[in-house]
Amino acid sequence: RKQSFWQQLVDFCSYPSLLVETLIQMFLWFVTGMSYYGFNFGWGSIVPNRYLGYVMAAVGHFLGSSIVFPLIARIGRRRAMMLMFSGAALFYLIAILDVKLGKDTDWTLESICSLIGVIFISGCLSGIYLWSAELAPTPHRGFAICASSSAARIGSFLGPYIFINLKPVTHKAVPFGGLAFLALLCALGSFFLVETGDKETALTGEDVVVRRGSYRYRL
């Protein structure tokens, strides 16, 4: 049954589980958008050759989007997202180390880890699109996707600032450490969402409450 905007808002108050799941999804989209667009607009300050960086990043985007769906089919949405966010956090932390990859090159461990991190972030972006559509009940799906996409857009405004403006004036542990912390929070947030691959699509807010009530959280 089609609901008005105000009826949907009432449902968020009537079914706290629906509100919690939507807020977690918005946070996942926010961090993913921040990292994704931060890298895309920041390669000039991350790798020594920005043109080669963009080419390699494009390969990373392709790999991430290609890997995540077979991974989801193998281990499920929830575990796949936890793995992808944790992988991104790991390479963010490794990127903090100040290691040059040779005497005659400007490439550093930071450059390589950033290019690998893009694979995980691209996988997160593709996977979260699928998962969000399945988590939201039918009458609220459009609202949940729009709210999450808006959160990602806000993150996309902040991402370039991190790499273009903040990174040059602070220690690189600040931007990469912050992104690693946020990615770990996303992995934790993914843990508290439910696996939807083996369940019927929720049709109402009450279905979301029942789905969460019968779910057993485990790795």
Side-chain angles (χ1 to χ4, degrees):
R1 183 172 60 89
K2 186 176 181 180
Q3 291 182 316
S4 68
F5 172 76
W6 298 110
Q7 288 174 320
Q8 293 181 39
L9 290 183
V10 169
D11 276 354
F12 283 112
C13 298
S14 302
Y15 304 106
S17 295
L18 175 61
L19 177 61
V20 169
E21 287 193 356
T22 303
L23 291 176
I24 292 176
Q25 291 177 67
M26 290 175 65
F27 179 73
L28 299 185
W29 281 66
F30 171 78
V31 176
T32 302
M34 179 187 295
S35 299
Y36 188 87
Y37 286 96
F39 279 126
N40 282 347
F41 285 94
W43 288 119
S45 62
I46 299 173
V47 297
N49 186 322
R50 73 172 62 196
Y51 302 105
L52 181 59
Y54 277 107
V55 171
M56 296 178 69
V59 174
H61 292 318
F62 175 78
L63 289 176
S65 300
S66 301
I67 291 172
V68 68
F69 293 113
L71 185 64
I72 285 174
R74 180 73 175 177
I75 64 176
R77 283 89 168 135
R78 180 168 162 270
R79 290 174 178 170
M81 290 298 97
M82 291 172 62
L83 179 62
M84 298 300 280
F85 280 118
S86 298
L90 174 62
F91 281 97
Y92 288 151
L93 291 174
I94 297 175
I96 296 175
L97 300 176
D98 191 10
V99 179
K100 199 170 182 179
L101 300 182
K103 295 181 179 180
D104 301 324
T105 179
D106 292 327
W107 286 85
T108 62
L109 186 61
E110 172 192 342
S111 305
I112 301 302
C113 287
S114 296
L115 290 169
I116 297 175
V118 163
I119 298 175
F120 288 95
I121 288 300
S122 296
C124 291
L125 182 64
S126 299
I128 202 66
Y129 264 101
L130 171 65
W131 203 15
S132 294
E134 296 176 345
L135 282 167
T138 301
H140 305 80
R141 188 165 297 122
F143 181 91
I145 294 295
C146 287
S148 298
S149 182
S150 298
R153 184 55 57 197
I154 296 173
S156 72
F157 295 151
L158 296 177
Y161 168 80
I162 292 175
F163 287 103
I164 297 176
N165 300 99
L166 181 62
K167 184 174 176 288
V169 298
T170 62
H171 190 278
K172 64 179 180 179
V174 175
F176 282 109
L179 288 173
F181 177 71
L182 290 175
L184 287 175
L185 286 182
C186 286
L188 181 63
S190 299
F191 174 81
F192 286 109
L193 292 175
V194 300
E195 175 60 47
T196 56
D198 57 349
K199 293 178 175 57
E200 294 184 359
T201 302
L203 300 179
T204 63
E206 185 176 356
D207 291 342
V208 174
V209 175
V210 173
R211 182 179 63 188
R212 288 189 69 86
S214 61
Y215 191 76
R216 295 295 177 265
Y217 294 93
R218 57 184 182 275
L219 292 176

